[in-house]
Amino acid sequence: MSQSGKNGLTYSDAGVDIDAGNLMVEKIKPAVRSTRRPGADGEIGGFGGLFDLKAAGFNDPILVAANDGVGTKLKIAIDAGRHDTVGIDLVAMCVNDLVVQGAEPLLFLDYFATGKLDPDQGAAIVTGIAAGCREAGCALIGGETAEMPGMYSDGDYDLAGFAVGAAERGKLLPSGDIGEGDVILGLSSSGVHSNGFSLVRKIVTLSGLAWDAPAPFADGKSLGEALLTPTRIYVKPLLAAIRETGALKALAHITGGGFPENIPRVLPKHLAAEIDLGAVSVPPVFSWLAKTGGVAATEMLRTFNCGIGMIVVVAEGDAAKVSQALEAQGESVVTLGRMIARAEGGAGTVYKGTLAL
């Protein structure tokens, strides 16, 4: 006998609700529309998103692409029941990787997968993605929502983002003239950003605190709310500084791996970045994580940004005007160190001073 006397199963019986998917698409259309920019003014719903590079003002562009996720920060969003900011993180992690190559982010696509689609939860996530896209100046031109019962536990979901940017030929970073004595500037982070959250969650478990408990390091916020502070999007300030000064030689986005893994990615093999750790103003969240988890400073530095989310390399004579250009755009800038000769077989990042944890 077939199920409930019916003459066959439906997709809905298997746990996939097409109507919920259609409802979510309708809910997110205003948010998606809010991200329109020159080059992209279509509606979502086609088989692919379109972008017109000429309308965006490019003559001979090189395209730059990046993709990323949000990591286990999503687990905090799920457990704390707050879904409106992780979309900003998703965009930030992708577009910050584009701007470090001198590219202007142009378009973004998202992939959202869940066990059972809740249109309101999905709409909250995409509203965050749209907010991130507006802040980065890129258009949300499409995406994929996948309802996959059996793949994700109840309430769980995953996000992936895909961004494409462009730079005129010959304008990509890093430039080829990084030299000894060049100055390293650091731009402040907004907190933990989107890396190291498996360790963060382990430390929270050790602390015994619930997500709705007051955050020990942030007045007036719950622990979940404070840890979900979105990743800073550096795109518009950096593009403004690049265009205004023409003096930026290299940029490095400080993500997983911290200073030691990310800075050498943009340096010539004969140079190392000498970082004065005493110059870093460490946000209280990192001090709390280090103390509560008994995490050593070296482990903090290779897991978290520790307060600096972006590195800028400039000639010594240009440091003041680049700092002023970035500060005029609302960035908090600190002089972190300088370029030195790299020892034979030595590390690409070396430290002096101590981190004020």
Side-chain angles (χ1 to χ4, degrees):
M1 187 69 180
S2 63
Q3 189 189 43
S4 309
K6 286 195 293 185
N7 201 16
L9 289 167
T10 65
Y11 209 9
S12 185
D13 293 329
V16 178
D17 188 343
I18 292 170
D19 294 331
N22 291 336
L23 176 60
M24 183 181 141
V25 170
E26 286 309 308
K27 281 179 176 285
I28 66 175
K29 277 186 175 176
V32 173
R33 217 172 277 136
S34 73
T35 71
R36 285 177 169 174
R37 53 152 292 150
D41 56 8
E43 280 283 351
I44 55 167
F47 285 99
L50 305 178
F51 195 93
D52 182 345
L53 281 165
K54 273 219 165 15
F58 287 91
N59 297 312
D60 185 18
I62 302 289
L63 294 180
V64 184
N67 71 309
D68 211 335
V70 183
T72 58
K73 189 173 189 174
L74 290 181
K75 200 68 184 146
I76 298 179
I78 292 160
D79 292 346
R82 302 177 70 99
H83 308 285
D84 55 340
T85 59
V86 286
I88 300 172
D89 289 295
L90 184 68
V91 175
M93 296 304 287
C94 296
V95 297
N96 285 340
D97 280 357
L98 295 183
V99 77
V100 296
Q101 294 175 86
E104 176 189 344
L106 301 175
L107 62 96
F108 192 86
L109 300 127
D110 71 280
Y111 173 78
F112 167 49
T114 185
K116 180 161 181 56
L117 183 60
D118 173 344
D120 289 327
Q121 181 198 61
I125 292 164
V126 176
T127 298
I129 293 171
C133 285
R134 289 194 303 274
E135 199 178 329
C138 63
L140 179 56
I141 66 167
E144 167 70 2
T145 302
E147 190 174 25
M148 299 196 284
M151 282 286 285
Y152 296 90
S153 305
D154 214 23
D156 281 353
Y157 61 86
D158 201 5
L159 289 175
F162 310 86
V164 177
E168 292 291 357
R169 193 178 300 274
K171 298 284 190 184
L172 290 171
L173 296 176
S175 64
D177 62 344
I178 302 170
E180 273 187 69
D182 282 352
V183 171
I184 302 163
L185 305 174
L187 305 187
S188 295
S189 69
S190 56
V192 187
H193 284 186
S194 296
N195 300 102
F197 272 89
S198 295
L199 179 55
V200 170
R201 286 167 46 245
K202 207 168 183 61
I203 292 168
V204 170
T205 302
L206 278 175
S207 77
L209 293 172
W211 297 118
D212 58 0
F217 51 85
D219 289 344
K221 288 186 175 178
S222 69
L223 181 59
E225 182 187 4
L227 288 173
L228 286 170
T229 300
T231 306
R232 194 161 174 80
I233 293 175
Y234 298 98
V235 170
K236 288 181 179 175
L238 286 174
L239 287 177
I242 288 168
R243 289 163 184 169
E244 187 184 318
T245 69
L248 284 70
K249 292 188 177 189
L251 297 166
H253 184 199
I254 306 303
T255 55
F259 290 161
E261 298 294 329
N262 288 293
I263 300 176
R265 292 166 71 177
V266 296
L267 301 184
K269 295 286 180 252
H270 68 285
L271 292 175
E274 182 185 68
I275 303 289
D276 176 10
L277 295 178
V280 179
S281 178
V282 181
V285 60
F286 296 109
S287 302
W288 181 78
L289 288 168
K291 187 177 169 190
T292 310
V295 186
T298 50
E299 187 64 19
M300 291 295 293
L301 283 164
R302 65 189 292 256
T303 307
F304 301 113
N305 67 63
C306 293
I308 300 294
M310 186 67 72
I311 292 287
V312 184
V313 179
V314 293
E316 188 175 9
D318 293 327
K321 72 176 178 184
V322 170
S323 292
Q324 283 167 0
L326 288 163
E327 283 166 353
Q329 293 291 323
E331 290 302 324
S332 190
V333 186
V334 60
T335 302
L336 273 188
R338 64 193 181 95
M339 287 298 154
I340 60 170
R342 191 187 303 201
E344 187 73 37
T349 307
V350 296
Y351 303 120
K352 63 179 193 179
T354 52
L355 198 62
L357 289 168

